[in-house]
Amino acid sequence: MVELTIDGKTVSVPDGSMVMHAANELGIYVPHFCYHKKLSIAANCRMCLVEVEKAPKALPACATPVTNGMVVHTNSEKAQAAQKAVMEFLLINHPLDCPICDQGGECQLQDLSMGYGKTHSRFGEEKRVVMHKSMGPLVSAEEMSRCIQCTRCVRFGQEIAGQMELGMLNRGEHSQITSFVGRAVESELSGNMIDICPVGALTSKPFRYSARTWELARRRSVSPHDSLGANLVVQVKGDRVMRVVPFENEDVNECWISDKDRWSYEGLNSEDRLTVPMVRDENNVWREVSWQDALKVVADAFEQIARIEGPEYLGALATETSTLEELALLKRVMSGLGSSNVDALLRNNDSNFARATEGAPWLGMSIRDLDSVDGVVVIGSYLRKDHPLMAQRLRQAAKKGARITLIDSYGEDPLFPVAARLTVAPSELAKTVEAVAKAVAAQKSGAEADLSDPVQALAAQLVGGSKPAVFLGNAAVAAPDASQIAAKAQELADAYGATLGFLTAGANTVGAYITGAVAQGDGLSAKQMIENQLKAYLVLHAEPKFDMDNGLAAEKTLSNAFGVALTAYKSAAADWAKVMLPIAPFTETSGTFVNAEGRAQSFKGVVASKGQSRPAWKVLRVLGNMLQFGGFEQESSEQVRDEVIGSGIAQYLNNKVTVLGQEVRRTTVPTEGLQRVAEVAIYRTDATVRRAAALQATAISQTPKARLNAVTLSNLQIADGDKVKVKSAVGEGEFIVQLDDNLADDTIRLAQGFDATVALGNAYAQLTVERI
């Protein structure tokens, strides 16, 4: 530790710390622009100049290492003179557009210029002008003349997002930040560049000129879009969500959020919002009805079917973005009717998976620990897009020397150093994990590794390490043989001496297990409910066409039954439902999400419900009362939450796979023809995101291309750029071919969640390809 004095206060900080770190430790503010606690030191704005005794001139606090006995003055006459001189230089070319700037009112330059700037400028020459840049549909760079070259955005791309999408051109007054060859900024974390820009050079394109910061009310919330549960500040004008920014929580999302969390709010204001209960009449025409009438239709129909056909013909489908309270009450309604058919794992293809785990699958460690692990195996995950901020934490771990190995079918670049990788066909995943587990066990027993064998080479990376982990991703859990993959992953974790964890797909996947809203015991899974063609379905938050693995088949089955949709969007259910009940998205209701680490995070509604829409937990509570069931007397979502997890969550968390071998019905992946590799595209994951216009305008949201490797293309006599017809057993579609040598032989990668690909059905289907 090094001891020094700053402004008369003594502080001890670790060796290698800078004066800025010591000042922060004391709570002393030193003005700055380029310094950011999460980024490397650049020292190029010079605003943090301070006086250091015995130094001939002022020194930058962010780049001056501390020494024993050092005496620093941050507010002396010398320091202030240096800081004011720097501010004068920074303002020489800055345009006077504060009245129209989106950053106005929360601008670092604006704030500091009040304390360190002058009332007039001595610079009378012509100001420089920097032309605007096109950076895609999310980030606006229309006013790059404001830029002070702090390079925060450049460093963020390199160090946090993992890809250098912005850089600096030229020197001196000709310096400017730009993207490469006019390309769009496409990182899944790009919006954070807006937050860390201190001067308003980068702003939000969807928010641009729509409101002033002082008009907005700020309310806390929790993201429903992935299993991290990022903490948000939702900014509201009237009853309309205008902007979403991160709320800093070092244990969860640090000071970042993903672009999906940031811009999905556009879907909340979609014209597709359902705002009044609707019932399909005998002429197949939708008509608006009162809540009382709509719920009576639902209660009477479900009660009648349970009495005449039997409760086993009733089913409930929900998404993993449903709150803990909604799932708990949905389960109670179905239990009251005598049915155990409730499932929130809509994309899972192995109906035995939920039964194969002893408790609620979870991360197996805290999210904060992800950036301090020293060895990781990630199985079956499109890591960057499925879990952007978890990938960011693993990126930091890799930079510290962690050995990260990947076993998957995507072959996608995770944008961090990978110690070893095996990219295999989906049908080979369980077999590959088993082979690696055996190789690790053998090498730990003293067997010599054959590094020419990819399995042995990967296993060699897993010998040693004091804090290793094995994680199962979304693709592994959704696979037809998911229970087998999980069992083999447990064998690998045991051989490796590692923690077994599940990255989990949704904001409340863990909560679904806690409430029993998964296919355990005698209950049918979502897939089985569709295959068995029940008589009535209660569907919560789901848009079956895109949220279920075989969407068109699911919609057909639902349309032939009495389908009730609790949905925020008309088009999500208009084609198949008999009753549509308008429910509130996360910004208009209260509830709780239990994230991947088992952290329960409750939130309140931030705006009033649109039209006659109501929180889903209230709708289910009233439905339970109409059916005259007990257990539906709650007056708040907190009461429901406390009934479910009042004694704590830890008791539910258990990653142990208990059903192995012959006890699990072995499901297989088709191995003839081309095996489909099908991730869920990052901006097609849920109904709200799919209706966010800016996110749908990004390159990754466009119709996907059929990606195959060179060997497969040669075998099919097809070339990169050809137009092909892709067929499955249930449908077909036309796509452009793209060469992707990261894929395994005899696989074809086509994402789920698009109108163009939904006709192909199952994510693990066998496909044929022919050139048009």
Side-chain angles (χ1 to χ4, degrees):
M1 299 291 285
V2 175
E3 188 176 283
L4 68 157
T5 302
I6 303 180
D7 292 346
K9 299 177 181 178
T10 302
V11 63
S12 295
V13 292
D15 290 348
S17 298
M18 302 296 161
V19 170
M20 181 71 83
H21 300 141
N24 289 341
E25 195 73 24
L26 287 169
I28 295 172
Y29 179 74
V30 179
H32 60 273
F33 293 111
C34 68
Y35 171 79
H36 190 281
K37 63 182 179 180
K38 296 290 183 180
L39 303 176
S40 61
I41 301 296
N44 51 4
C45 79
R46 317 307 283 184
M47 189 64 212
C48 64
L49 292 174
V50 294
E51 180 184 359
V52 178
E53 288 188 5
K54 299 182 181 178
K57 59 182 180 180
L59 299 175
C62 69
T64 302
V66 297
T67 58
N68 261 318
M70 176 183 276
V71 179
V72 180
H73 303 283
T74 68
N75 205 26
S76 65
E77 188 176 332
K78 184 176 181 180
Q80 283 198 13
Q83 292 160 1
K84 288 179 179 180
V86 169
M87 177 59 74
E88 185 176 16
F89 277 108
L90 290 176
L91 292 176
I92 279 176
N93 283 301
H94 196 79
L96 296 176
D97 57 1
C98 294
I100 62 142
C101 178
D102 275 343
Q103 194 93 334
E106 51 187 15
C107 174
Q108 207 171 334
L109 181 66
Q110 196 177 51
D111 292 343
L112 290 179
S113 68
M114 297 301 292
Y116 299 90
K118 295 185 177 181
T119 56
H120 64 281
S121 174
R122 293 185 289 170
F123 184 78
E125 287 75 18
E126 185 175 333
K127 289 180 180 283
R128 75 170 192 158
V129 175
V130 180
M131 291 303 294
H132 64 266
K133 309 291 189 298
S134 178
M135 293 187 183
L138 303 178
V139 179
S140 172
E142 298 293 313
E143 285 91 12
M144 291 306 290
S145 295
R146 299 172 185 163
C147 180
I148 60 170
Q149 287 80 50
C150 71
T151 68
R152 278 187 179 183
C153 56
V154 177
R155 285 175 286 146
F156 172 85
Q158 288 177 297
E159 299 164 17
I160 306 298
Q163 54 189 139
M164 186 176 177
E165 295 185 290
L166 298 180
M168 184 179 288
L169 291 176
N170 307 321
R171 294 176 65 84
E173 72 167 339
H174 301 293
S175 298
Q176 57 180 287
I177 301 293
T178 186
S179 58
F180 287 96
V181 204
R183 290 180 55 187
V185 175
E186 296 177 355
S187 166
E188 61 278 3
L189 302 175
S190 67
N192 294 291
M193 295 177 181
I194 298 167
D195 293 336
I196 63 176
C197 178
V199 297
L202 300 177
T203 56
S204 169
K205 189 167 282 188
F207 175 73
R208 184 174 162 80
Y209 295 153
S210 62
R212 305 315 309 263
T213 181
W214 51 85
E215 298 176 312
L216 303 176
R218 289 158 173 78
R219 293 157 188 167
R220 285 190 60 183
S221 192
V222 177
S223 167
H225 301 304
D226 63 33
S227 62
L228 184 88
N231 290 202
L232 310 176
V233 175
V234 181
Q235 300 185 352
V236 175
K237 183 178 180 181
D239 281 334
R240 188 179 179 91
V241 176
M242 303 299 295
R243 184 165 62 168
V244 174
V245 296
F247 181 87
E248 186 171 348
N249 185 336
E250 283 296 318
D251 291 332
V252 182
N253 55 298
E254 301 174 87
C255 55
W256 318 119
I257 56 173
S258 69
D259 289 356
K260 180 162 60 172
D261 295 336
R262 185 181 300 273
W263 282 296
S264 64
Y265 73 86
E266 286 190 298
L268 303 171
N269 303 318
S270 166
E271 293 182 3
D272 191 35
R273 281 292 299 273
L274 178 67
T275 58
V276 63
M278 302 185 78
V279 173
R280 194 191 298 268
D281 65 20
E282 60 275 5
N283 297 318
N284 207 30
V285 176
W286 285 107
R287 58 185 177 87
E288 297 180 359
V289 298
S290 68
W291 268 106
Q292 180 71 19
D293 290 345
L295 288 173
K296 189 175 188 311
V297 170
V298 175
D300 289 349
F302 272 69
E303 200 169 39
Q304 183 177 355
I305 292 169
R307 186 177 66 253
I308 298 173
E309 304 287 348
E312 67 272 16
Y313 285 95
L314 302 176
L317 304 170
T319 66
E320 293 165 84
T321 60
S322 305
T323 67
L324 187 81
E325 295 80 359
E326 291 164 356
L327 293 174
L329 293 177
L330 180 67
K331 176 73 173 177
R332 287 184 198 176
V333 168
M334 298 308 292
S335 296
L337 289 164
S339 173
S340 55
N341 300 331
V342 182
D343 195 10
L345 310 180
L346 301 186
R347 297 190 188 277
N348 283 22
N349 281 279
D350 185 350
S351 298
N352 293 295
F353 178 75
R355 300 181 184 94
T357 52
E358 192 170 283
W362 67 297
L363 190 62
M365 61 175 64
S366 71
I367 290 170
R368 191 164 190 164
D369 284 342
L370 287 175
D371 51 14
S372 61
V373 291
D374 58 7
V376 176
V377 183
V378 182
I379 301 168
S381 178
Y382 187 11
L383 196 57
R384 276 177 48 214
K385 306 300 184 183
D386 290 345
H387 307 94
L389 290 172
M390 291 192 195
Q392 189 277 131
R393 284 193 182 264
L394 289 176
R395 187 172 298 119
Q396 304 314 313
K399 287 161 66 174
K400 296 172 189 173
R403 292 172 296 176
I404 301 180
T405 57
L406 307 177
I407 305 173
D408 69 346
S409 301
Y410 301 120
E412 194 75 22
D413 184 1
L415 300 180
F416 55 70
V418 175
R421 182 173 205 158
L422 292 171
T423 301
V424 299
S427 63
E428 298 295 308
L429 202 56
K431 180 180 171 182
T432 303
V433 175
E434 181 179 31
V436 172
K438 290 179 177 177
V440 170
Q443 290 178 25
K444 281 201 166 185
S445 298
E448 189 172 340
D450 177 7
L451 298 182
S452 64
D453 180 349
V455 170
Q456 293 277 341
L458 186 142
Q461 297 292 332
L462 309 183
V463 178
S466 59
K467 197 177 180 182
V470 174
F471 295 127
L472 281 169
N474 296 1
V477 172
D481 54 349
S483 50
Q484 294 299 314
I485 296 172
K488 302 309 176 187
Q490 187 170 69
E491 290 178 17
L492 173 57
D494 292 342
Y496 189 12
T499 300
L500 175 64
F502 292 79
L503 297 174
T504 74
N508 200 35
T509 305
V510 177
Y513 278 87
I514 290 172
T515 58
V518 295
Q520 294 175 323
D522 297 329
L524 299 179
S525 69
K527 185 176 182 180
Q528 289 171 326
M529 284 187 236
I530 297 300
E531 291 172 345
N532 290 5
Q533 300 188 357
L534 308 183
K535 299 295 183 182
Y537 296 87
L538 197 58
V539 182
L540 174 63
H541 285 301
E543 187 171 10
K545 181 178 179 180
F546 299 117
D547 289 329
M548 300 194 73
D549 191 66
N550 196 341
L552 293 183
E555 281 200 342
K556 184 177 179 181
T557 297
L558 290 167
S559 66
N560 291 328
F562 186 83
V564 178
L566 284 79
T567 179
Y569 301 99
K570 289 177 282 190
S571 63
D575 291 340
W576 56 266
K578 300 297 186 291
V579 180
M580 292 193 295
L581 304 177
I583 59 170
F586 80 105
T587 50
E588 299 168 22
T589 186
S590 59
T592 304
F593 294 133
V594 183
N595 71 0
E597 69 174 351
R599 178 189 296 262
Q601 299 187 105
S602 296
F603 57 92
K604 296 280 190 181
V606 299
V607 290
S609 297
K610 283 189 178 293
Q612 296 182 38
S613 61
R614 296 290 182 267
W617 72 268
K618 289 187 177 182
V619 176
L620 291 164
R621 183 197 62 190
V622 174
L623 182 59
N625 286 327
M626 291 186 74
L627 290 165
Q628 299 182 344
F629 299 151
F632 291 89
E633 296 78 29
Q634 303 86 359
E635 294 183 0
S636 68
S637 61
E638 289 81 5
Q639 282 183 266
V640 184
R641 176 199 65 197
D642 293 343
E643 288 172 5
V644 178
I645 58 171
S647 56
I649 287 177
Q651 61 182 314
Y652 298 102
L653 305 179
N654 191 336
N655 287 334
K656 187 175 181 182
V657 181
T658 57
V659 186
L660 305 177
Q662 297 301 316
E663 297 179 57
V664 173
R665 179 173 57 86
R666 183 63 180 259
T667 51
T668 58
V669 181
T671 55
E672 298 177 4
L674 298 182
Q675 291 183 51
R676 183 180 178 187
V677 176
E679 78 278 12
V680 181
I682 184 172
Y683 304 138
R684 305 291 300 176
T685 53
D686 61 69
T688 301
V689 171
R690 287 190 287 268
R691 287 163 178 80
L695 295 178
Q696 298 314 309
T698 60
I700 198 168
S701 292
Q702 306 314 302
T703 300
K705 294 183 177 180
R707 298 164 70 167
L708 307 97
N709 71 11
V711 172
T712 308
L713 286 178
S714 176
N715 292 340
L716 295 170
Q717 296 184 331
I718 294 172
D720 184 23
D722 283 354
K723 190 172 185 179
V724 296
K725 181 175 288 185
V726 180
K727 295 182 180 180
S728 71
V730 298
E732 61 183 46
E734 295 182 359
F735 303 93
I736 302 299
V737 168
Q738 180 179 338
L739 173 64
D740 186 348
D741 272 331
N742 294 321
L743 296 171
D745 293 349
D746 299 320
T747 64
I748 175 171
R749 182 172 165 187
L750 270 169
Q752 291 180 282
F754 293 90
D755 285 305
T757 61
V758 71
L760 297 175
N762 189 273
Y764 296 86
Q766 175 185 333
L767 303 179
T768 59
V769 177
E770 59 184 52
R771 185 168 54 196
I772 297 175

